[in-house]
Amino acid sequence: MNKFATVIMAAAAAALLVTGCSKSDSSKIKVGFSQVGAESDWRKASTESIKGEAAKRPNIELTFSDAQQKQENQIKAIRNFISKGVDVISFSPVVSTGFEDVLKEAKEAGIPVVLFDRAVDVSEDGLYVSFIGSDFVEEGRRAARWVLENVGENANVAELVGTVGSAPAIDRKKGFEEIIKDHPGIKIIKSQSGDFTRAKGKEVMESFLKSPEADQIQVLFAHNDDMALGAIQAIEEAGKKPGQDIKIVSIDGVKTMFEAILEGKANCTVECNPLIGAQLFDVVEKIHAGETVPARIPSQEGVFDSKNITKEVVDGRKY
Ligand code: GZL
């Protein structure tokens, strides 16, 4: 082979190598994720699950954004992911409405969307390919069933509602009320949002305990453990015994709530599993490979109280 041909072949081989190298970069699946925020222990565990799982998968390139519980930040992040040309977008919507336009933009850009943890209300199909998360209505039902089975047919309930307009707040309330509607002795006498945070939960519980109905409250139903833990502080500061004077049932199943139940300061937590990062990236890989994925992927969860919480169970909790 003459010298000129050798040079051309070498250059072509080098180009292939570079292309090959750049091709290996493009083989990474680029995922844009918008997280609600860091409002609760549950959310922090959710974020750790997502970031931890992405770090284990060399084929995943994760761009993660924290919306600080603001919808406008989530919409901005999703638009950034679209302009960046990611392969898949996923997010946990802070509220269930107001995402239709940006989801249509993602669809027009040909970028599949996976809903994580929470669902959205949209008027047309095809704006997301799958929803991975818990059944919040069932979680609300489980909380109400625990009250009926462990407190009885008559109880005045104070309710700490989650973030107004969010799927878990809407659906947990719906599930709780679906069960108690057939039991008129169970009455919700106070209800206000604590925005899923410990600080706000404490503040609202303090206002409940200063209200005319204060001494009628027999049960606290909190839409998440963080608000319940804040309420426990408020109940103690008011000179009452949480878990005894006021029974406490909440949702999430975080370790600090397990510890409070073990101490007798709370009574029940309905598990809502945040550790679904692996399920997310399994779905992402299937989508990227052109495979079909289930439209709905539910999480598996239990109900925990003093009957099944031991120190060993607490020590074994992963979040
Ligand atoms: C539920 C999740 C909720 C948790 C809260 O899946 O969206 O948001 O219950 C968190 O702790 O703020």
Side-chain angles (χ1 to χ4, degrees), residues 3 19 31 56 105 126 131 154 206 211 305:
K3 208 169 177 182
T19 320
V31 179
K56 285 183 205 162
E105 292 166 32
F131 165 38
N154 297 293
E206 284 166 349
S211 73
D305 61 12

Side-chain angles (χ1 to χ4, degrees), residues 94-285:
V94 61
V95 291
S96 49
T97 56
F99 286 102
E100 188 130 0
D101 289 347
V102 74
L103 288 174
K104 283 178 182 167
E105 292 166 32
K107 186 177 180 181
E108 278 149 28
I111 301 175
V113 174
V114 176
L115 293 183
F116 181 89
D117 168 32
R118 299 180 180 180
V120 289
D121 295 340
V122 287
S123 59
E124 67 178 72
D125 294 338
L127 294 182
Y128 59 88
V129 293
S130 185
F131 165 38
I132 306 171
S134 304
D135 180 342
F136 302 135
V137 177
E138 178 55 22
E139 291 169 352
R141 293 191 194 104
R142 288 178 178 178
R145 288 188 197 114
W146 186 90
V147 173
L148 284 165
E149 288 156 18
N150 295 275
V151 180
E153 284 289 338
N154 297 293
N156 293 320
V157 179
E159 180 184 27
L160 285 172
V161 178
T163 301
V164 175
S166 69
I170 293 164
D171 287 352
R172 286 169 181 169
K173 184 177 188 62
K174 184 175 166 191
F176 193 88
E177 292 179 348
E178 179 191 298
I179 295 296
I180 68 169
K181 73 176 184 321
D182 300 328
H183 301 273
I186 309 277
K187 296 183 183 68
I188 296 178
I189 60 168
K190 303 294 288 181
S191 180
Q192 189 178 331
S193 176
D195 205 19
F196 282 135
T197 68
R198 199 175 293 208
K200 191 79 176 139
K202 179 172 189 280
E203 187 188 307
V204 173
M205 191 67 204
E206 284 166 349
S207 70
F208 287 170
L209 293 167
K210 289 184 184 126
S211 73
E213 299 83 2
D215 290 339
Q216 297 166 33
I217 300 171
Q218 295 160 300
V219 174
L220 170 68
F221 167 46
H223 289 191
N224 84 327
D225 291 343
D226 279 67
M227 293 190 292
L229 291 162
I232 285 169
Q233 278 182 284
I235 293 167
E236 288 179 319
E237 288 169 9
K240 295 192 174 191
K241 293 190 178 70
Q244 296 175 51
D245 300 334
I246 297 177
K247 301 291 186 194
I248 294 173
V249 54
S250 67
I251 298 173
D252 272 354
V254 297
K255 190 168 188 172
T256 40
M257 178 50 76
F258 273 63
E259 289 163 345
I261 292 171
L262 207 54
E263 279 176 68
K265 292 188 175 181
N267 304 91
C268 171
T269 183
V270 175
E271 190 179 27
C272 175
N273 186 357
L275 308 180
I276 51 178
Q279 284 173 284
L280 170 62
F281 293 111
D282 288 347
V283 166
V284 164
E285 288 170 354

